Amino acid sequence: MNRAEQKERTRQTLVATSRRLFASRGYAGVGLAEIVREAGVTKGALYHHFDGKTALFRAVLEQVQQEVAARVVAAAEEAVETPWHRLQAGCAAFVKASADPEVQRIMLIDGPAVLGWDEWRAIDEATSAAHLSEALREVQSTATIPLRPVEPLARLLSGAMNEAALWLAQSGGPADLEDTLAWLSRLIDGLRYREPA
């Protein structure tokens, strides 16, 4: 293994170890000393890749956001019937992915608290929100929803889905995810353009 490969392996080990620890105990419950000990590296190696715990958390959050976005895109691409079906499938996939306790902790609870709302939103905009806006524009091109700017609608849907995921983290009911997905489907269906009676 050459030097560049070794550096990348060290970085990946730090991110994977941090992710496991942040997911299980939260950002505040994990120290750098524990991360380097668990990863089997020195503090110098950590600081070679990251300028501190917040930068390491940012890398973990970006990884989680990218994985959630990939799940959304994959679900949407499987629903090949129409752009409308792809939108529904992608939104449902986002809620399902966000129901994972690891995703909830890192992406929805600690993400905004650790990085601040603006930085968290910028990361979200580059992944899930961008895909949602694109899906809405595609649906709009089929005259299924009114021709209005999609940015407000994307934020409304994103906020509703994020809030639902946070509620699912606290609820614990066996049918809560299924009920949430059913209501989400009805909410999205309400966006369909209908000719006035």
Side-chain angles (χ1 to χ4, degrees):
M1 180 181 313
N2 65 35
R3 189 172 178 84
E5 291 171 335
Q6 181 61 42
K7 285 172 65 173
E8 182 55 26
R9 179 180 281 182
T10 299
R11 186 185 187 285
Q12 290 174 3
T13 299
L14 283 164
V15 171
T17 301
S18 300
R19 180 174 176 164
R20 179 175 48 80
L21 293 170
F22 291 149
S24 65
R25 296 206 313 276
Y27 178 85
V30 179
L32 282 179
E34 181 179 13
I35 291 170
V36 296
R37 184 177 67 248
E38 292 278 326
V41 301
T42 64
K43 271 196 177 178
L46 183 144
Y47 284 114
H48 178 75
H49 293 280
F50 304 99
D51 65 8
K53 186 173 142 182
T54 301
L56 185 52
F57 178 82
R58 184 180 303 106
V60 169
L61 173 62
E62 287 171 347
Q63 182 183 71
V64 170
Q65 286 271 28
Q66 289 165 359
E67 289 172 7
V68 169
R71 287 175 67 177
V72 168
V73 169
E77 287 175 353
E78 285 179 23
V80 295
E81 297 90 353
T82 65
W84 182 257
H85 291 104
R86 289 191 287 278
L87 173 67
Q88 288 179 310
C91 288
F94 177 84
V95 171
K96 288 177 191 173
S98 299
D100 179 317
E102 177 179 305
V103 172
Q104 289 168 341
R105 166 60 84 175
I106 293 169
M107 188 172 84
L108 299 172
I109 298 171
D110 283 348
V114 172
L115 299 181
W117 180 252
D118 289 339
E119 188 172 353
W120 180 84
R121 281 298 298 156
I123 294 170
D124 185 59
E125 286 288 330
T127 53
S128 298
H131 293 301
L132 180 57
S133 293
E134 182 182 314
L136 288 168
R137 283 188 195 90
E138 187 180 12
V139 168
Q140 209 172 45
S141 73
T142 65
T144 308
I145 62 174
L147 287 173
R148 292 196 172 131
V150 298
E151 287 75 17
L153 179 55
R155 269 85 188 155
L156 287 166
L157 284 175
S158 178
M161 290 186 288
N162 285 340
E163 184 61 31
L166 287 170
W167 176 75
L168 286 168
Q170 305 297 319
S171 67
D176 289 344
L177 177 57
E178 183 181 320
D179 291 340
T180 299
L181 292 171
W183 277 111
L184 177 63
S185 179
R186 289 186 64 110
L187 179 70
I188 293 170
D189 193 51
L191 300 174
R192 277 184 183 267
Y193 179 77
R194 290 172 173 83
E195 291 288 344

